[in-house]
Amino acid sequence: MPIVQFVPFSSSVHPSFWHELTKLKIDVLRLDASHVPVSASYTAGKTVVDRETGNEVGLGCHLTLGEDAFKPDAKPAKHAALIKGTMINFNTIEDFKSSDKTALFNELSDRLWAGLSPSPSAGTTAELNSFLLITFADLKKYKYYYWFAFPAFMASPPWEIGDSGWGLAEEALGAEGVKSVHGQLAELEVETGAAEQFFLLRPGAAGAYEVGRLEQWGEFFASVPEEDQIIGFLDPSSTHNPGWPLRNLLSHISSRQPGKPLSLNILSWRDGDRPTGNRRWASRYAKIDLRAAAALAEGAKRPTAVGWERNAAGKLGPRMADLAPMMDPARLADQAVDLNLKLMRWRILPELNLEKVAETRCLLLGAGTLGCYVARTLMGWGVRNITLVDSGKVSFSNPVRQPLFDFEDCLDGGKPKAACAAEHLKKIFPGINARGIEMAIPMPGHPIPPSEVEKIRTTVAELEELYDTHDAVFLLMDSRESRWLPTVLGTAKNKYVMNAALGFDTYLVMRHGPRQGTAPPSGTTEPPKHARLGCYYCNDIVAPSDSLTDRTLDQMCTVTRPGLAPIAASTAVELLVSMLQHPLGIHAPPSSGKDDEEGHSVLGAVPHQLRGYLARFNSMTITGAAYDRCTGCSEAVVKAYEKDRFNMVQRACDETGYLEELTGLKELYSESEAVMEAVDWDEDDAEGDF
Amino acid sequence: MDAEIPDIPEIPDDPASSEPHPSGSRLMVEEHIVYSPTFQVPAFYFTASDESGAPLSLNSIIRSPLFHFPIPLSSLDVQPHKVDLPGSDGSEDAAPVPLLTQGEHPTTGQICWYLHPCETSPAVKELLDHREEPPKGGWELEWLKAWFVVLGRVAYLRSG
């Protein structure tokens, strides 16, 4: 007769088990590597019909670990039975690898055997099966290494089954019989809160069978002849062979009658719910024999046990669950931020091009009040690359107005502002690529001392490189002349330049126009018909000069109403985003927000300049054409810079009048002076009409 | 495990162990039908993991028996965190609304996959408009039944 082959358990872990283990380790276990009680469940083996071939396919023989595994009073799912096991969580991978697995396995097997061997008042049948689980949790990488063992005792000689093998339970017990078993098992499940793992059957009245619990063997089978005694078990296997739990049940039965040959009627129960449609009862029935139960070998405490689970490759080794995609908080933050932005697109503005905004590399010159608020708003739009430049250190008055600094940052002389701001951005959102650079930008009207020339030369080269590696520049400094070099560079390299400046209760936010002579990329709508838009200096007829020396204290600190900076900063960012959404980008025509404007982007207007008046709680849009003698963006200046680079910058900083001469403003003065002199002021005319 | 395990237990020869079930990989899927407050319709949320508890990649999910898309899989734009339908105007850009994407479960806060409900209401309305007589169970029930039909177009809903 063929040997009975038992299908080993396959472990099936729910992600929530790993979440619970993580919590347990962090909150309770910490470094404790002692045994932790854990429970797992299994249900009757199921089959499904393969949609493509039409064949019935078994779903395996699984023992499942879920989120209730550590709860002492866990109730299993419907029609599932519970097995109690032991888990050992090692603290290092080395401990996991070098643990004495054989010793642990033997320890559990000894315990199982002690509970399984006969004793008239043997405990609950939950102890007929158990499992060992060793784990190591790599909490930095969210990888969980684990290895299961399901000890079962080898029978010697092995159990055998009749040549006809397993038949249908319905044929052996009759339709009424199977129905009656199902009914009683369902009642028992309601009573105990879990499905029975093992149970007894004896014939009853009218083709029905009576179900009893395994512990009641003695009395239940008292007056039942052996050939009518049936032993049932919940079978997790879905194929022809019976599942693992049967093995220890048979060991238990034979240990009650050592040495005696046995012939048992076994019911493999696979029907949690009644079959639907045309399906038959899945449960099976067979006769299983033990020719002669050999006595235990000399000196052996118990039969040999087997049951280590093989890994996915079929080899003896641990398995690993990689939960990083689900649990890595940085990844979760990234996805959440993206999703939030996409909601805007899905619900309100399908044409919004979020990727364009996120990809824009932003350079913020100034990490003060404006800089901090601009950085925050950019992060809100999903911008991933932000570089801050500032020469100062965090001072005690800063944190209340500059939201990227804390009190601690002011101590010990104060941290460098740019780097500190960048660090803070990363704390808010780890996925941001933020950098802070300490740099002092040279300014016209502030001659460069000879000892500093080389240093400033390097600074300018660094600044040029920053422009080359960014797409949009924000001028957020607190003086007029400090914006000159950034303006020239921005025009020369045709970058998006956003300018924001604050008065006490007024602000200016503007976008600089494109470089003269450049045109929007071909393929876009018709070329712009408006005049080239101006820069910060286009309305000036004097070059920027030293406005900082001899300032009084209140002038130096640029005292402004606190609510002004966030308004101006966020306006600057929103103006940039609206411009980015416009097909013409930097060449977008100035639009003022009236409903019939054609120049809008999907977000609305793309004005040239905004001036805001907090005292009146309103703002105005202004358009200013470029001035051909501008000291910041005219071709004369830009070309001079491109030709001589740092030398030109040095002259602008050192020599008074250089920029006026370069741009032709000097002639303008002479011309207007000449006009003034040409007027014939008639001093005698006392009676004019005014 | 990259390195060798120093201590591998010895396994005796056991003719009574059958081969573990070879049926291919098993997926554990949790499916939820939740009212989405954002979109104000029911939405289909689910998680899918393998036997070790590791989450499945989106690529594996759409190729699994969970779904049966009415259009060829090759025409879908599959990215790590969302699946886009091809653009409706035939252009290279994907439609602005993804078909399948990740989000927080409205009640449990768990990170799940969900079928985007933007297209749900119009599709259900279209089905309901074809009905001539008023339904016996009330319109809410009809709406939900129609919703299941719409869902069934992409997700495999039959039992057994």
Side-chain angles (χ1 to χ4, degrees):
Chain A
M1 291 209 293
I3 294 175
V4 178
Q5 297 213 300
F6 305 90
V7 181
F9 268 128
S10 251
S11 64
S12 201
V13 185
H14 197 263
S16 52
F17 173 73
W18 299 122
H19 299 169
E20 292 300 313
L21 174 61
T22 304
K23 275 200 276 187
L24 189 72
K25 171 153 173 85
I26 293 175
D27 296 337
V28 178
L29 292 177
R30 308 212 185 137
L31 292 180
D32 188 353
S34 50
H35 296 33
V36 178
V38 70
S39 62
S41 64
Y42 65 96
T43 57
K46 285 196 190 69
T47 60
V48 284
V49 176
D50 184 329
R51 261 177 268 157
E52 277 158 46
T53 64
N55 296 335
E56 272 208 41
V57 174
L59 281 179
C61 182
H62 291 264
L63 186 65
T64 307
L65 235 60
E67 63 181 334
D68 285 344
F70 296 112
K71 297 208 182 108
D73 50 355
K75 285 273 172 266
K78 204 166 105 154
H79 305 321
L82 220 57
I83 295 189
K84 294 212 198 301
T86 304
M87 179 192 82
I88 301 167
N89 184 51
F90 292 97
N91 289 310
T92 65
I93 193 73
E94 289 75 29
D95 289 343
F96 179 88
K97 286 192 209 171
S98 59
S99 56
D100 189 347
K101 298 164 189 66
T102 308
L104 290 170
F105 186 81
N106 285 337
E107 199 189 311
L108 178 59
S109 305
D110 290 342
R111 226 174 339 123
L112 257 185
W113 183 252
L116 184 152
S117 340
S119 121
S121 57
T124 65
T125 52
E127 274 77 347
L128 278 191
N129 280 299
S130 185
F131 63 92
L132 173 68
L133 171 62
I134 59 173
T135 59
F136 165 65
D138 181 349
L139 294 184
K140 289 212 178 71
K141 298 204 194 114
Y142 301 97
K143 287 193 202 301
Y144 300 84
Y145 297 90
Y146 65 103
W147 204 346
F148 276 95
F150 312 104
F153 300 102
M154 289 172 70
S156 190
W159 292 85
E160 291 167 3
I161 183 168
D163 285 322
S164 46
W166 294 90
L168 292 175
E170 204 175 330
E171 281 169 18
L173 305 179
E176 274 312 307
V178 183
K179 243 180 21 185
S180 66
V181 172
H182 180 268
Q184 290 168 74
L185 284 178
E187 280 168 24
L188 260 178
E189 186 176 341
V190 169
E191 227 180 276
T192 61
E196 289 300 299
Q197 291 183 45
F198 309 111
F199 52 93
L200 309 173
L201 296 182
R202 67 185 178 207
Y209 280 79
E210 285 166 17
V211 170
R213 309 194 67 189
L214 186 62
E215 301 89 83
Q216 301 159 329
W217 184 298
E219 26 167 311
F220 190 78
F221 283 151
S223 36
V224 180
E226 257 187 44
E227 59 269 21
D228 290 336
Q229 295 174 2
I230 304 176
I231 302 114
F233 77 104
L234 180 65
D235 189 355
S237 167
S238 54
T239 56
H240 192 63
N241 287 322
W244 207 244
L246 178 59
R247 216 166 174 176
N248 282 354
L249 172 66
L250 295 175
S251 291
H252 169 66
I253 295 172
S254 83
S255 75
R256 302 167 72 97
Q257 307 153 88
K260 187 175 167 226
L262 293 171
S263 186
L264 301 173
N265 301 319
I266 302 290
L267 173 66
S268 143
W269 186 250
R270 297 183 179 182
D271 290 293
D273 287 316
R274 297 176 65 144
T276 52
N278 294 336
R279 305 192 84 180
R280 316 191 68 169
W281 293 96
S283 300
R284 295 163 166 255
Y285 181 91
K287 221 176 175 58
I288 295 190
D289 296 328
L290 188 64
R291 297 272 193 88
L296 279 177
E298 197 60 45
K301 289 191 286 176
R302 54 166 172 81
T304 319
V306 288
W308 282 104
E309 185 180 25
R310 287 172 186 270
N311 64 16
K315 301 245 174 25
L316 267 183
R319 297 175 171 221
M320 192 267 289
D322 182 359
L323 261 63
M326 192 196 274
M327 283 174 77
D328 186 348
R331 272 199 238 198
L332 290 175
D334 216 59
Q335 290 160 27
V337 166
D338 268 340
L339 261 164
N340 211 307
L341 285 165
K342 275 168 192 158
L343 255 147
M344 226 184 342
R345 180 159 73 184
W346 297 336
R347 294 215 71 192
I348 301 172
L349 263 187
E351 309 89 11
L352 193 54
N353 187 344
L354 288 167
E355 287 75 23
K356 187 114 202 277
V357 180
E359 288 162 0
T360 304
R361 301 164 294 174
C362 294
L363 177 63
L364 277 54
L365 302 180
T369 336
L370 286 170
C372 289
Y373 283 110
V374 165
R376 280 276 201 163
T377 313
L378 285 172
M379 273 212 310
W381 268 106
V383 170
R384 291 291 202 256
N385 294 288
I386 298 180
T387 306
L388 293 122
V389 169
D390 199 293
S391 59
K393 304 223 189 301
V394 185
S395 65
F396 286 101
S397 65
N398 292 159
V400 288
R401 291 196 182 218
Q402 303 177 12
L404 293 180
F405 305 124
D406 284 332
F407 176 71
E408 280 80 28
D409 302 326
C410 310
L411 307 174
D412 297 324
K415 294 200 185 124
K417 276 181 128 170
C420 188
E423 277 316 297
H424 209 99
L425 287 178
K426 285 185 219 164
K427 275 200 213 145
I428 295 167
F429 179 62
I432 192 100
N433 178 18
R435 244 177 88 200
I437 298 172
E438 196 171 349
M439 185 192 279
I441 297 176
M443 312 181 257
H446 299 255
I448 305 170
S451 54
E452 304 269 293
V453 168
E454 279 321 299
K455 179 164 162 242
I456 304 292
R457 190 193 296 270
T458 318
T459 298
V460 173
E462 247 191 271
L463 189 60
E464 286 169 341
E465 216 210 300
L466 282 171
Y467 268 72
D468 288 332
T469 52
H470 289 76
D471 307 301
V473 185
F474 282 82
L475 308 192
L476 308 169
M477 307 83 131
D478 60 358
S479 75
R480 192 171 185 73
E481 56 265 36
S482 55
R483 299 167 197 257
W484 175 78
L485 179 56
T487 298
V488 174
L489 287 175
T491 312
K493 295 168 191 285
N494 209 27
K495 300 283 176 177
Y496 294 107
V497 178
M498 307 302 302
N499 214 329
L502 302 176
F504 166 64
D505 61 3
T506 63
Y507 67 82
L508 162 70
V509 165
M510 66 180 294
R511 56 182 174 105
H512 286 187
R515 178 168 179 177
Q516 188 177 348
T518 58
S522 58
T524 51
T525 53
E526 313 131 36
K529 302 182 198 92
H530 58 277
R532 181 169 88 94
L533 295 173
C535 77
Y536 186 61
Y537 299 101
C538 280
N539 289 342
D540 296 351
I541 54 167
V542 292
S545 62
D546 185 353
S547 71
L548 298 172
T549 321
D550 296 337
R551 279 194 305 185
T552 57
L553 184 65
D554 58 288
Q555 285 170 329
M556 265 200 237
C557 297
T558 330
V559 172
T560 68
R561 283 177 71 166
L564 201 61
I567 297 174
S570 46
T571 305
V573 172
E574 292 296 331
L575 178 56
L576 171 67
V577 175
S578 191
M579 179 169 41
L580 288 172
Q581 297 299 310
H582 196 284
L584 293 176
I586 200 173
H587 296 274
S591 46
S592 67
K594 296 203 261 293
D595 286 316
D596 53 353
E597 285 281 346
E598 283 180 348
H600 285 194
S601 76
V602 299
L603 284 174
V606 192
H608 176 224
Q609 298 180 35
L610 280 146
R611 286 193 187 251
Y613 305 91
L614 201 46
R616 300 204 293 262
F617 288 103
N618 74 356
S619 63
M620 280 167 34
T621 58
I622 295 172
T623 305
Y627 183 39
D628 59 3
R629 299 193 216 215
C630 174
T631 53
C633 70
S634 61
E635 269 304 285
V637 171
V638 174
K639 283 214 172 75
Y641 156 73
E642 281 182 322
K643 181 157 165 283
D644 291 325
R645 304 273 290 282
F646 175 67
N647 293 333
M648 180 269 187
V649 174
Q650 190 177 20
R651 288 190 73 181
C653 296
D654 294 350
E655 296 173 26
T656 330
Y658 166 70
L659 285 172
E660 282 92 335
E661 171 126 22
L662 185 58
T663 54
L665 279 174
K666 191 151 165 249
E667 272 93 58
L668 186 72
Y669 304 150
S670 344
E671 280 162 31
S672 40
E673 279 210 21
V675 166
M676 288 294 285
E677 274 173 19
V679 170
D680 189 12
W681 300 104
D682 197 343
E683 291 182 19
D684 296 332
D685 198 337
E687 326 134 18
D689 316 86
F690 289 105
Chain B
M1 292 241 138
D2 313 49
E4 289 292 316
I5 308 250
D7 179 67
I8 303 247
E10 271 185 48
I11 306 294
D13 204 21
D14 180 21
S17 285
S18 88
E19 284 305 305
H21 198 73
S23 72
S25 50
R26 172 160 127 152
L27 305 179
M28 242 196 291
V29 179
E30 251 186 48
E31 298 175 336
H32 303 254
I33 293 170
V34 199
Y35 180 75
S36 164
T38 314
F39 300 100
Q40 306 197 334
V41 283
F44 179 67
Y45 282 75
F46 66 96
T47 58
S49 53
D50 65 19
E51 285 154 335
S52 70
L56 248 54
S57 75
L58 192 47
N59 232 319
S60 312
I61 288 176
I62 61 167
R63 281 167 175 74
S64 75
L66 278 173
F67 292 100
H68 53 190
F69 294 102
I71 52 179
L73 287 178
S74 51
S75 67
L76 292 172
D77 176 15
V78 182
Q79 292 158 50
H81 298 300
K82 62 180 171 115
V83 174
D84 284 323
L85 282 169
S88 46
D89 56 356
S91 71
E92 293 218 338
D93 304 318
V97 175
L99 175 60
L100 187 58
T101 189
Q102 261 187 337
E104 282 173 23
H105 188 285
T107 329
T108 66
Q110 200 188 4
I111 298 290
C112 294
W113 298 104
Y114 68 104
L115 277 175
H116 208 281
C118 251
E119 303 293 313
T120 307
S121 292
V124 169
K125 186 171 179 307
E126 207 187 299
L127 277 180
L128 291 179
D129 283 343
H130 286 302
R131 279 193 68 102
E132 285 161 8
E133 321 128 18
K136 288 181 230 139
W139 277 108
E140 282 97 353
L141 190 58
E142 271 321 293
W143 198 98
L144 213 45
K145 285 191 200 168
W147 183 86
F148 271 103
V149 171
V150 170
L151 178 64
R153 285 187 193 149
V154 295
Y156 193 78
L157 292 179
R158 283 169 220 270
S159 66

